[in-house]
Amino acid sequence: MLLVHLSFTNATIVQFSFSLKAPRQLRLATTSSHGSFPSLSSRRRATPSDAYSGTSESADRRWDNLGFNPVQTDYMYVTKSSENGSFSNGGLRNYGNIEMIPSAAVLNYGQGIIEGLKAYKKQNGSIILFRPEENGLRMRLGAERTCMPAPTIEEFVDAVKSTVLANKRWVPPPDKGFLHIRPLLLGNGPVLSLTPAPEFTFLIYVTPVGNYFEGDLKPINVVVENVMHRATPGGVGSIKATGNYAGIMKAQVKAKANGFSDVLYLDSVHNRYLEELSTANIFVVKDITISTPVLGGTVLPGITRKSIIEIARSQGYQVEERLVSVEELFDADEVFCSGNAVCVLPVGSITFMGKRVDYGESRFVVCQQLYSALRDIQLGLTEDKMGWTTVLN
C-alpha cells in the first residue's frame, strides 16, 4: 500500500510553551478496506516544549515565530462515505498519517476538493469561526462538479467545530495569528479506468499560522502572467479542485525568483481580462468604485471576496462585478486582494509586460478601511450585524 503523509518531520514541528488538557473522550472515525488509520500511539505527539514551559513571555515568543507553515497538532476529523453517499459516522482521531492504495482515484485522476477557513481566539478565550456554512456549501458545489458525494452543510460545520475544539490549545492568542482549518474531500476508492471512486474520505486537519506573506498589511508586488493561465471556460476554475494549484506553481515559482510576491492571471480567451491571483481574488479601486472580476466559471467565488463586497456596499462604495481589463490597472487609485489566507492585502505594485505601476501614493486607504471592518468582525471586536460568526465556548 502507498502511504500518503499528512504529517511532518520532527524538525518542522513547532512546539509551544503552554499546555491545555486535550479532550479525554473522542469518538473514533471508521476505517475501510480502501484505507486505514493506524494507531498513532508510537508517534511523537505535538506537545509543548519542556524547555519553554513556565512563563507567558516565552509562550508569546513562540507564537511570534509563527509563519505560514504546517504545525503538527493533536487531532483530525475523519469519516468515510457510506454506500448511499452519506458521511454521518465520522469522528476524531489522533493527527497522523493516512494510508491509500495506489489505485485511489485522488492519486490517479485528482478526484479531490480542498477547503480553507479559519478560527480566531477572542480576548475572553472563546473561539470564533467565520462563515463556515459558506465553506460547506462551496465544498458541495465542488463535489457535484467532480462527481463526488459531500457532507451536508450541517455535517460539515459540526465536523469543523469538533476539530477546532479538540485542538483549541493550538488557536493562537488574539493578534498572533489564527487556526487554519483545512477540510479535504478525497476519492480514496480504487479505480483503473477514468471513473468516479467507489468510496470517499472527508477529513479535516488544523494548524496554527501567522501571515501568508511577510508583514501584516505590507503591500505585495505582483506580476501579470500573460502566457500561462489559471483556468479555462468550462473547466474547474470556480471550485477548489486539488489539481487547480499544481498547474500554477511554475508561474508562481518564476515570479518569486524574479522578486515578486505573487502572480495575477488573465483570462484564457482574450488574454486581457483580470481573473485572480494564485490564491486570492483581486479588486481595483477608482474613486468610490470598486471593481472585481465577475464570477463566470473561471474565478473562484471567495468567501472573503463575498464578505468584502457586502462590507464595501454597506459603507457606501459602488461595487461592480464585471470584466476588468488589464489596462485599468494603470489608471487605478488602489488595488488590493482578498482570500482566506491573506484576509485583505494591499497591492503595492503591478508589473505587466515590463511596465510597472505603483500604488503607494494612495496610502491604501480603502484597503485599510475594509480590512479593519472585516477583521473586527472576525475577531469579535465589533457587533456582528451580518450574522457571519459562530462562537465556540
Side-chain angles (χ1 to χ4, degrees):
M1 300 181 80
L2 180 64
L3 189 64
V4 181
H5 290 280
L6 289 183
S7 61
F8 308 90
T9 62
N10 289 342
T12 63
I13 295 175
V14 180
Q15 296 184 324
F16 294 84
S17 56
F18 61 99
S19 177
L20 290 174
K21 293 183 179 179
R24 294 177 179 271
Q25 295 181 343
L26 299 175
R27 184 182 176 199
L28 297 183
T30 58
T31 61
S32 79
S33 59
H34 303 315
S36 61
F37 299 87
S39 170
L40 302 176
S41 59
S42 62
R43 287 186 55 82
R44 179 179 178 182
R45 292 289 304 282
T47 55
S49 169
D50 292 338
Y52 290 94
S53 60
T55 68
S56 59
E57 181 181 355
S58 59
D60 288 341
R61 288 201 301 268
R62 304 303 289 174
W63 287 121
D64 288 339
N65 292 331
L66 274 179
F68 206 87
N69 295 300
V71 175
Q72 181 174 318
T73 53
D74 295 327
Y75 301 104
M76 60 185 185
Y77 182 95
V78 184
T79 184
K80 302 282 187 177
S81 61
S82 62
E83 291 184 2
N84 65 3
S86 68
F87 292 86
S88 58
N89 295 317
L92 295 164
R93 296 194 67 88
N94 291 331
Y95 179 94
N97 300 337
I98 65 172
E99 291 181 350
M100 285 187 185
I101 55 176
S103 57
V106 67
L107 300 179
N108 289 265
Y109 298 113
Q111 192 180 24
I113 294 287
I114 68 171
E115 269 300 330
L117 61 158
K118 56 181 69 169
Y120 289 97
K121 181 171 288 185
K122 296 179 66 174
Q123 293 290 347
N124 65 5
S126 60
I127 297 170
I128 293 184
L129 300 177
F130 184 72
R131 309 191 78 171
E133 298 86 359
E134 293 286 335
N135 294 91
L137 174 60
R138 190 169 63 182
M139 173 170 275
R140 289 186 63 81
L141 295 174
E144 192 278 330
R145 176 63 178 83
T146 51
C147 298
M148 293 192 288
T152 66
I153 295 175
E154 183 180 5
E155 289 170 341
F156 180 96
V157 174
D158 286 345
V160 168
K161 290 178 180 178
S162 296
T163 311
V164 171
L165 287 174
N167 293 283
K168 63 183 180 181
R169 72 190 186 102
W170 295 101
V171 183
D175 298 324
K176 295 292 186 179
F178 59 89
L179 190 72
H180 186 75
I181 307 163
R182 175 49 58 85
L184 303 171
L185 184 61
L186 310 172
N188 65 289
V191 297
L192 189 57
S193 61
L194 181 57
T195 184
E199 185 182 76
F200 301 87
T201 294
F202 174 52
L203 185 151
I204 302 176
Y205 70 95
V206 298
T207 181
V209 295
N211 295 316
Y212 188 77
F213 294 107
E214 292 184 5
D216 189 9
L217 274 180
K218 180 181 178 181
I220 60 172
N221 299 311
V222 174
V223 62
V224 178
E225 173 59 49
N226 66 328
V227 176
M228 289 178 273
H229 297 280
R230 178 191 166 274
T232 58
V236 292
S238 63
I239 66 172
K240 290 184 74 70
T242 54
N244 283 355
Y245 300 91
I248 60 176
M249 287 182 182
K250 184 173 182 179
Q252 190 182 52
V253 168
K254 178 183 176 182
K256 290 186 175 182
N258 289 326
F260 297 102
S261 308
D262 208 347
V263 179
L264 175 58
Y265 294 90
L266 301 177
D267 76 288
S268 62
V269 176
H270 305 283
N271 208 36
R272 179 188 177 191
Y273 298 104
L274 309 183
E275 295 223 316
E276 59 184 272
L277 279 73
S278 301
T279 58
N281 295 111
I282 189 82
F283 292 84
V284 178
V285 182
K286 183 66 177 177
D287 298 325
I288 63 168
T289 300
I290 302 175
S291 302
T292 190
V294 64
L295 303 178
T298 56
V299 175
L300 186 73
I303 295 162
T304 309
R305 172 191 182 274
K306 181 178 181 178
S307 305
I308 286 298
I309 289 173
E310 294 182 50
I311 291 173
R313 285 175 173 159
S314 73
Q315 294 184 352
Y317 290 100
Q318 178 181 340
V319 181
E320 298 180 350
E321 297 178 76
R322 60 176 177 84
L323 294 177
V324 182
S325 70
V326 67
E327 291 87 359
E328 293 182 56
L329 295 173
F330 294 95
D331 190 43
D333 297 330
E334 189 176 333
V335 176
F336 64 90
C337 60
S338 73
N340 179 65
V342 302
C343 191
V344 182
L345 199 62
V347 175
S349 73
I350 294 181
T351 300
F352 175 59
M353 301 288 287
K355 183 179 179 181
R356 172 173 168 146
V357 56
D358 292 279
Y359 303 104
E361 291 184 2
S362 71
R363 298 184 181 273
F364 313 108
V365 174
V366 177
C367 177
Q368 296 259 10
Q369 182 179 342
L370 297 176
Y371 168 83
S372 296
L374 178 63
R375 286 277 291 178
D376 284 351
I377 295 173
Q378 291 179 325
L379 292 172
L381 299 177
T382 188
E383 181 184 358
D384 178 16
K385 297 180 180 179
M386 303 288 194
W388 288 343
T389 57
T390 300
V391 178
L392 307 180
N393 295 311

